[in-house]
Amino acid sequence: MSLRFKGADLRPVLAEAISNRCRVVLAKDHGVYFLAERGERRPEDGRQKLLAYAVGCNPDIDPFDDWWERSCAELGGNDFGEHFSPQTKVFAHILASEDDLELSATATHLGLKPIPPLSGDR
């Protein structure tokens, strides 16, 4: 199994990380999402403004039981943050294309690969 991140959601996060000369963080806590290590904050609540949630793992739109079970099934029960350079080949590809990103995980490895967007998601 795997998680999908829509390229349209991920590209602004990657651009923010490049602009701020920082890393991109994959976070699993209250949802599963990518964010820039140093990003713009929302004035109303101080939360990071740009987040790219995995499809089905966004607590703002997906029912709690659904996103919680999916995130645990894909990435285990513990919260974590994993840092990546936004300059890596896979992120450069996402920035230069309309592709989405697929995240797969094993007990010891995270895999990232570009995949074509679902029809109607462009």
Side-chain angles (χ1 to χ4, degrees), residues 9 70 103:
D9 296 337
R70 179 161 187 161
L103 168 71

Side-chain angles (χ1 to χ4, degrees), residues 9-17 33-36 39-42 47-53:
D9 296 337
L10 189 53
R11 281 186 279 283
V13 170
L14 296 172
E16 182 175 51
Y33 53 94
F34 279 99
L35 71 158
E40 184 179 352
R41 302 257 173 203
R42 300 185 322 190
R47 288 179 58 192
Q48 191 119 352
K49 188 174 181 180
L50 293 176
L51 301 175
Y53 282 96

Side-chain angles (χ1 to χ4, degrees), residues 13-85:
V13 170
L14 296 172
E16 182 175 51
I18 290 168
S19 174
N20 290 338
R21 295 187 174 116
C22 65
R23 296 177 294 177
V24 176
V25 181
L26 169 65
K28 180 198 172 280
D29 52 21
H30 193 66
V32 179
Y33 53 94
F34 279 99
L35 71 158
E37 193 173 37
R38 290 188 304 273
E40 184 179 352
R41 302 257 173 203
R42 300 185 322 190
E44 63 272 15
D45 59 10
R47 288 179 58 192
Q48 191 119 352
K49 188 174 181 180
L50 293 176
L51 301 175
Y53 282 96
V55 174
C57 293
N58 182 343
D60 293 335
I61 60 172
D62 298 310
F64 175 83
D65 288 342
D66 294 348
W67 71 257
W68 177 258
E69 287 177 21
R70 179 161 187 161
S71 68
C72 289
E74 296 295 333
L75 300 171
N78 293 330
D79 292 353
F80 69 86
E82 185 70 31
H83 295 76
F84 299 91
S85 168

